[in-house]
Amino acid sequence: MAFSMSCFISFILVSINRGYDQTFLPVWLKTWSQAFICAFFGAYFFPMVIHQIMRKINFIEKPLFNKEKLLVKEQNNSSESF
């Protein structure tokens, strides 16, 4: 993913900024190599950092009572009445 995205984006940006001339290919290859290094490390490390942040954020509310304990109490109360 990092390879294809860095290749595509650097090609488009160099062609827009510099145009197509004799120096296009060397300039694009240099720009692409730098973009690939940034994209590879970004694709490798950003998900780890985001995963650590998301671990600390809890989106699910904890229940006010445990349904299993409530069912056990109801069963114990119903068995005592017989």
Side-chain angles (χ1 to χ4, degrees):
M1 190 60 150
F3 176 82
S4 61
M5 289 300 291
S6 63
C7 181
F8 177 71
I9 291 172
S10 64
F11 179 83
I12 298 298
L13 289 176
V14 170
S15 64
I16 289 171
N17 290 331
R18 298 210 32 138
Y20 300 103
D21 56 0
Q22 301 100 296
T23 61
F24 175 78
L25 188 61
V27 169
W28 173 62
L29 289 175
K30 181 182 178 185
T31 305
W32 170 75
S33 64
Q34 294 167 350
F36 176 72
I37 293 169
C38 295
F40 179 77
F41 285 112
Y44 185 76
F45 288 112
F46 284 154
M48 289 184 213
V49 172
I50 291 170
H51 182 68
Q52 292 296 326
I53 292 170
M54 294 305 289
R55 259 191 193 170
K56 294 179 181 179
I57 300 173
N58 189 4
F59 290 107
I60 301 172
E61 294 180 15
K62 295 181 181 179
L64 296 175
F65 61 91
N66 194 346
K67 292 180 181 179
E68 293 172 0
K69 288 182 181 179
L70 182 63
L71 290 175
V72 170
K73 287 181 181 178
E74 287 177 357
Q75 288 175 353
N76 288 340
N77 289 340
S78 63
S79 64
E80 290 175 2
S81 63
F82 287 115

